[in-house]
Amino acid sequence: MICQAGRVVRLDERAATVAVAPVSGCSRCAEGRGCGLGLFAGLLGERTREITVPARPGLQVGQSVRLEINPSALVAASLLAYGIPLLGLLLGLASGAWLGSELRGLAAGVFGAGVGFLFTRKLENPARIRISGGG
């Protein structure tokens, strides 16, 4: 399981919003042998992220909690987040090629990627992140 500590900032009967501190980087980054993704984090600044997850009984605003996600669920959510817009892009490009114009193909590809992106945004908690207890 991948775990991250956080604090409940909003709560209703169905969902809890948990503020999670940014992760400073992996062990390879600490050794100076990372992939370079830490450079983007430095440019964007250290800011708290908020994650909305299904609420469980007994939660209170301000409570420290631990979020858990199964690594295989993270991979599946990543495939959904990137795969569906990519599929929309490819289908759009193919339909544009069928229409016989590069400009139409490009427009259809962008439209397909946009539809795929909007579809993935409608999915609720695809990674199955859950609150497992106190932080």
Side-chain angles (χ1 to χ4, degrees):
M1 285 291 199
I2 300 171
C3 300
Q4 176 72 35
R7 183 170 307 279
V8 178
V9 293
R10 280 188 298 284
L11 186 64
D12 63 29
E13 59 275 351
R14 293 180 43 204
T17 303
V18 178
V20 179
V23 178
S24 60
C26 66
S27 60
R28 288 181 56 92
C29 289
E31 296 170 359
R33 299 182 302 131
C35 64
L37 190 58
L39 294 174
F40 291 113
L43 292 174
L44 297 174
E46 297 284 322
R47 61 179 205 200
T48 303
R49 306 279 187 227
E50 292 186 352
I51 300 172
T52 302
V53 295
R56 65 174 171 81
L59 280 180
Q60 298 175 358
V61 173
Q63 179 180 359
S64 292
V65 295
R66 188 175 67 209
L67 300 178
E68 289 185 349
I69 182 170
N70 189 323
S72 62
L74 180 61
V75 170
S78 298
L79 286 174
L80 282 175
Y82 294 107
I84 291 176
L86 179 61
L87 181 64
L89 173 70
L90 294 175
L91 290 175
L93 289 172
S95 67
W98 179 73
L99 294 172
S101 165
E102 290 180 9
L103 185 59
R104 289 179 185 165
L106 180 61
V110 169
F111 177 76
V115 169
F117 175 75
L118 291 175
F119 177 77
T120 59
R121 297 288 295 170
K122 295 292 182 187
L123 298 175
E124 188 173 320
N125 197 9
R128 296 185 296 279
I129 299 171
R130 66 184 183 92
I131 296 176
S132 66

